[in-house]
Structures are given as C-alpha cells and as structure tokens.
C-alpha cells in the first residue's frame, strides 16, 4: 500500500528518525519508535516530555512497522502549520450557527463565547455541510486554557474513507472506556484461554495466543474485560498490573479477536513504557491533579492506582465465550450508528499539512470530533469535558474522581 521506509525516511520531511526493536526476553513484541518533532512542537527540551515519541508495538515486524508509520503520519498532521485547512479568526458569537457549539457539547470552556479564537473549516459527516471547528479541538499540542487538546480522533490511511473509519472506531472506543470508567460499569471479565480454545484457526488468533501466553510466562497476569459499546462492535479493555504499576489498553472493532489482540498489545506497550519511566523516575508520588500524560503516568506508577484498578475488576462475572464477529462497517455506517447513539461526528481534513512526498505517496490524514460523546480527558482540572448524561445513563451515583488509565 505504502512504501513504509520512504514514509519514515527523514529526508522526506516527516520523521526525524526511527528505531525498530525485535522481541526479546524482556519484551514479547516488536516495537517501532518514531520521532516526528514532538519536542519542538511542544517547545520543550529533551527530558521535559519523555512521551514525545510515537510508534507501535505488535506481534509481527510488518504489522508493527505499518502501524507505526500510520501513527507518525497522523501525529505529524496535528502539529499547527501554515498550510492546512481553511482558517479564520473570530468569536463564536460572530460565526453563529456556522460554528460548532463546543461549549454546549462539553468540549470547551463556556467562558470563550466572546473570545477571539482560531477556527478550521470542517465538515459534518452525515450531511457534508461545512462547520467551523476551534483549533483547540484539532491541534495537538495546543496551548490553550479553554480546551483539552488530545490526539484522539486523528487517523491516517490511503484514502479518506479509511482514515475516517479508523478515527471513528477510536472515538467509539474512547467514549466506551470513558463512560464505563466514570460510571464504574465494566461488563464482564474474559477468560482468554477459553476464547482461544473455541477460536477458529486464523493468523489473528495465533498472534493473540502467542502474545497472551508469552505475557503470562513472563510473570504478568493480563486481565481483559468487555465494555458496553455500539451494536455490531466489541470493546475490550486489557489491564496488566503489578504491586505499584498498572497499565491499560483498549480496542473497539467488529472482529472479536482483533479487539482482544490490540487491547492486549496496547496494555503491554504501556506497561513497558511505565517500567522504563519507573527506572528513570524512581518511586515518586504525583503532585496535585493530573494535567497531562506525564502526570497520568506518575499516577499509574503508584500502589493506590493499582488498588483502584483492582477494585474495579474485582468480582466481575465471566463473559460468555465465543461472541460472533460482525461485517466490517463502512465509515457512513459508523456515522449513522454514532448519531443514533447521541453523537454528531465531524471531520477536519489535515492532509494538506503533510509533506509533499507523503501526499504524493497517497497518505491522507484527518481529525474527527464527536460532539455528544465522552471525550478523552487529558487535563483533569477542567470541569467541562464530562458527558454526565452518558455517564449517568450507564451507572449510578456521582462521577468518581479517580483519573482514567489511558496514556
């Protein structure tokens, strides 16, 4: 599909450099790390923000390299640049109904109604009608006190359909995890060995079997749970915990084995990252509220975070084994399903931000936002960003204050 080596070649203007590492006794997966200039985009020095690299972990070299290249392209597209979507500077009030009502959707601080903001032209996915979207909901990083910038909903691929579909699946997953976490509403634990025993022979099931058993043989005890999600999809949260470290990953997908595999890969990737950070930081307690991924990483390197995760996973019933796969949804079908569930997806095309060689290769990049859905919270200081209607419908009582584990 793409020449992945050219995609990551520093002379083509996207990656500063990249590194591939094969599986080892310490790590059961291939890994590829890519520097796309995250430190420069943050105005930071090396060491200020050790999570600036992007990349992927996986069970095969080819799949890991492909996923890392896609991650690099989408993250690069989020950096503010001169070239990109059509832009205006205006107040929300002056744009009126042509602008996204981000405050009503809980996506930004309501005090900004009279503030001059930078806006990008986007498109409502159900109608194709234009809509102005605040830059603070698109760019990452974005230095703004009025929004909670996040890379969630960014996606890349060989065409617009592929990228939009990937972004929607990620935002469906983020909503499912965010709601279930805040509502304390995990569904059931998955007996992975029972699923493996029932599984038909396929490459995906073989990869899951190998990875899960390698993790168990190394002394880890991965736990996977089902989360409520849209009909026709499966959503899995995977957790890997030790005495003072807890890591989680998640995936929503039509294919049961794909949801299991990617959730487990993500959890093991975060576990390895936290282990490295533990070696650098030592045993330190986070100070104050979670403001970004660094604060969140420090929190999830504590025994109290492990205890919180253990409480949520304790006494979960076992999920019935062998759920069936659904046919692959098109982007339009996902849009219709999300709208029926209370979301209203829109997209901003970020392809013009990519270097010319990558556009010539056929890469496309987008940022999707879903007003009405629970967004991924990065900065826990904000009161906006809670979709209390969705949380209250999924659970009982007030929104718990313990920050989610997605890093």
């Amino acid at each position: 599909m793409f020449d992945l080596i050219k995609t990551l070649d520093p002379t083509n203007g996207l990656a500063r450099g990249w590194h591939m590492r094969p599986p080892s006794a310490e790590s059961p997966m291939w890994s590829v790390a890519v520097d796309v200039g995250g430190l420069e985009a943050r105005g930071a020095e090396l060491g200020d923000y050790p999570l600036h690299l992007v990349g992927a972990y996986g069970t095969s070299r080819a799949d890991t390299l492909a996923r890392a290249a896609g991650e690099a392209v989408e993250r690069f597209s989020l950096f503010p640049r001169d070239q990109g979507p059509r832009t205006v500077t205006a107040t929300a009030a002056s744009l009126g109904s042509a602008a996204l009502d981000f405050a009503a959707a809980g996506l930004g601080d309501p005090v900004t109604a009279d503030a001059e903001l930078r806006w990008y032209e986007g498109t409502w996915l159900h109608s194709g009608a234009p809509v102005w979207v605040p830059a603070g909901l698109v760019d990452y990083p974005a230095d703004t006190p009025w929004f909670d910038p996040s890379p969630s909903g960014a996606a890349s691929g060989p065409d617009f359909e592929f990228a939009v579909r990937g972004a929607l699946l990620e935002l469906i997953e983020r909503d499912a995890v965010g709601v279930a976490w805040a509502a304390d509403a995990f569904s059931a634990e998955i007996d992975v060995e029972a699923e493996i025993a029932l599984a038909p022979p396929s490459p995906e099931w073989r990869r899951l079997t190998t990875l899960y058993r390698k993790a168990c043989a190394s002394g880890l005890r991965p736990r996977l749970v089902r989360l409520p999600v849209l009909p026709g999809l499966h959503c899995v949260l995977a957790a890997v915990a030790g005495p003072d470290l807890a890591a989680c990953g998640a995936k929503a997908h039509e294919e049961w084995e794909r949801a299991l595999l990617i959730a487990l890969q993500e959890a093991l990737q975060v576990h390895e990252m936290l282990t490295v950070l533990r070696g650098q930081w030592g045993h330190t307690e986070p100070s104050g509220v979670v403001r970004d991924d660094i604060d969140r990483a420090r929190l999830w390197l504590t025994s109290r975070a492990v205890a919180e995760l253990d409480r949520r996973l304790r006494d979960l019933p076992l999920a019935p084994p062998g759920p069936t796969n659904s046919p692959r949804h098109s982007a339009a079908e996902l849009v219709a399903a999300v709208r029926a569930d209370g979301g209203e997806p829109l997209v901003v095309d970020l392809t013009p931000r990519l270097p010319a060689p990558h556009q010539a290769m056929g890469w496309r990049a987008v940022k999707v936002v879903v007003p009405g859905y629970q967004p991924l919270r990065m900065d826990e200081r904000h009161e906006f960003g809670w979709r209390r209607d969705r949380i209250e419908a999924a659970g009982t009582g007030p929104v718990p204050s313990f920050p989610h584990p997605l890093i």
Side-chain angles (χ1 to χ4, degrees), residues 240-295:
V240 181
D244 55 5
L245 182 161
C248 291
K251 181 64 178 177
H253 203 272
E254 297 94 342
E255 297 175 3
W256 177 231
E257 61 270 31
R258 185 70 176 169
L260 290 167
L261 174 62
I262 300 302
L264 179 57
Q265 285 183 179
E266 295 289 335
L268 291 172
Q269 176 176 339
V270 175
H271 181 274
E272 183 168 321
M273 177 199 72
L274 290 177
T275 301
V276 170
L277 293 177
R278 164 69 76 215
Q280 295 175 358
W281 294 342
H283 292 267
T284 59
E285 279 290 318
S287 58
V289 70
V290 169
R291 299 159 299 175
D292 54 28
D293 272 343
I294 290 297
D295 287 341

Side-chain angles (χ1 to χ4, degrees), residues 237-378:
L237 179 80
V240 181
D244 55 5
L245 182 161
C248 291
K251 181 64 178 177
H253 203 272
E254 297 94 342
E255 297 175 3
W256 177 231
E257 61 270 31
R258 185 70 176 169
L260 290 167
L261 174 62
I262 300 302
L264 179 57
Q265 285 183 179
E266 295 289 335
L268 291 172
Q269 176 176 339
V270 175
H271 181 274
E272 183 168 321
M273 177 199 72
L274 290 177
T275 301
V276 170
L277 293 177
R278 164 69 76 215
Q280 295 175 358
W281 294 342
H283 292 267
T284 59
E285 279 290 318
S287 58
V289 70
V290 169
R291 299 159 299 175
D292 54 28
D293 272 343
I294 290 297
D295 287 341
R296 200 172 300 275
R298 290 188 183 278
L299 174 64
W300 285 93
L301 282 167
T302 65
S303 57
R304 61 190 177 96
V306 174
E308 176 67 19
L309 181 63
D310 181 68
R311 181 191 68 77
R312 291 166 181 266
L313 299 181
R314 194 178 305 142
D315 300 326
L316 286 178
L318 280 180
T324 58
N325 293 341
S326 298
R328 179 188 175 98
H329 294 71
S330 67
E333 289 169 335
L334 287 176
V335 168
V338 169
R339 293 189 74 214
D341 189 42
E344 197 63 77
L346 61 87
V347 63
V348 178
D349 188 356
L350 299 177
T351 304
R353 286 182 171 179
L354 301 180
H358 295 78
Q359 294 188 49
M361 281 184 235
W363 282 104
R364 299 293 177 263
V366 302
K367 170 77 173 189
V368 172
V369 180
V370 182
Y373 262 23
Q374 175 61 50
L376 181 72
R377 288 175 63 83
M378 302 288 283

Side-chain angles (χ1 to χ4, degrees), residues 26-378:
E26 292 75 30
S27 173
M29 295 188 291
W30 287 88
S31 71
V32 177
V34 186
D35 182 354
V36 291
L39 286 175
E40 180 180 291
R42 293 178 182 279
E45 298 295 331
L46 188 63
D48 288 349
Y49 199 86
L51 305 184
H52 70 284
L53 299 175
V54 300
Y57 283 52
T59 55
S60 77
R61 178 184 182 278
D63 178 65
T64 306
L65 184 60
R67 291 176 60 231
E71 289 279 342
V73 170
E74 64 192 51
R75 187 62 64 90
F76 183 92
S77 75
L78 294 180
F79 298 157
R81 300 182 186 281
D82 291 337
Q83 70 273 28
R86 185 180 168 207
T87 305
V88 297
T89 300
T91 65
S94 67
L95 291 175
S97 61
L100 168 66
D101 190 349
F102 59 84
L107 294 173
D109 197 321
V111 304
T112 60
D114 297 321
E116 289 270 328
L117 301 175
R118 185 175 171 86
W119 303 77
Y120 299 139
E121 187 174 42
T123 304
W124 290 112
L125 278 167
H126 74 282
S127 66
V131 58
W132 290 109
V133 186
L137 292 180
V138 177
D139 297 337
Y140 184 79
D143 185 15
T144 169
W146 298 319
F147 299 94
D148 192 9
S150 160
S152 290
S156 63
D159 54 47
F160 189 75
E161 160 81 14
F162 186 101
V164 168
R165 176 185 138 80
L168 284 167
L169 284 173
E170 181 174 66
L171 292 173
I172 290 167
E173 167 216 302
R174 297 295 198 245
D175 173 76
V177 174
V179 169
W181 183 265
D184 207 354
F186 290 174
S187 293
E189 185 162 3
I190 300 158
D191 185 334
V192 180
E193 287 292 352
E195 298 293 344
I196 291 170
L198 291 173
S202 73
E204 209 83 310
W205 279 110
R206 284 194 293 273
R207 293 188 188 108
L208 174 65
T209 301
T210 300
L211 184 60
Y212 179 76
R213 290 176 177 170
K214 277 186 176 180
C216 291
S218 70
L220 301 176
R221 186 185 167 228
R223 299 181 67 182
L224 283 74
V225 299
R226 297 198 70 172
L227 303 182
V229 72
L230 292 174
L233 296 176
H234 304 288
C235 191
V236 175
L237 179 80
V240 181
D244 55 5
L245 182 161
C248 291
K251 181 64 178 177
H253 203 272
E254 297 94 342
E255 297 175 3
W256 177 231
E257 61 270 31
R258 185 70 176 169
L260 290 167
L261 174 62
I262 300 302
L264 179 57
Q265 285 183 179
E266 295 289 335
L268 291 172
Q269 176 176 339
V270 175
H271 181 274
E272 183 168 321
M273 177 199 72
L274 290 177
T275 301
V276 170
L277 293 177
R278 164 69 76 215
Q280 295 175 358
W281 294 342
H283 292 267
T284 59
E285 279 290 318
S287 58
V289 70
V290 169
R291 299 159 299 175
D292 54 28
D293 272 343
I294 290 297
D295 287 341
R296 200 172 300 275
R298 290 188 183 278
L299 174 64
W300 285 93
L301 282 167
T302 65
S303 57
R304 61 190 177 96
V306 174
E308 176 67 19
L309 181 63
D310 181 68
R311 181 191 68 77
R312 291 166 181 266
L313 299 181
R314 194 178 305 142
D315 300 326
L316 286 178
L318 280 180
T324 58
N325 293 341
S326 298
R328 179 188 175 98
H329 294 71
S330 67
E333 289 169 335
L334 287 176
V335 168
V338 169
R339 293 189 74 214
D341 189 42
E344 197 63 77
L346 61 87
V347 63
V348 178
D349 188 356
L350 299 177
T351 304
R353 286 182 171 179
L354 301 180
H358 295 78
Q359 294 188 49
M361 281 184 235
W363 282 104
R364 299 293 177 263
V366 302
K367 170 77 173 189
V368 172
V369 180
V370 182
Y373 262 23
Q374 175 61 50
L376 181 72
R377 288 175 63 83
M378 302 288 283

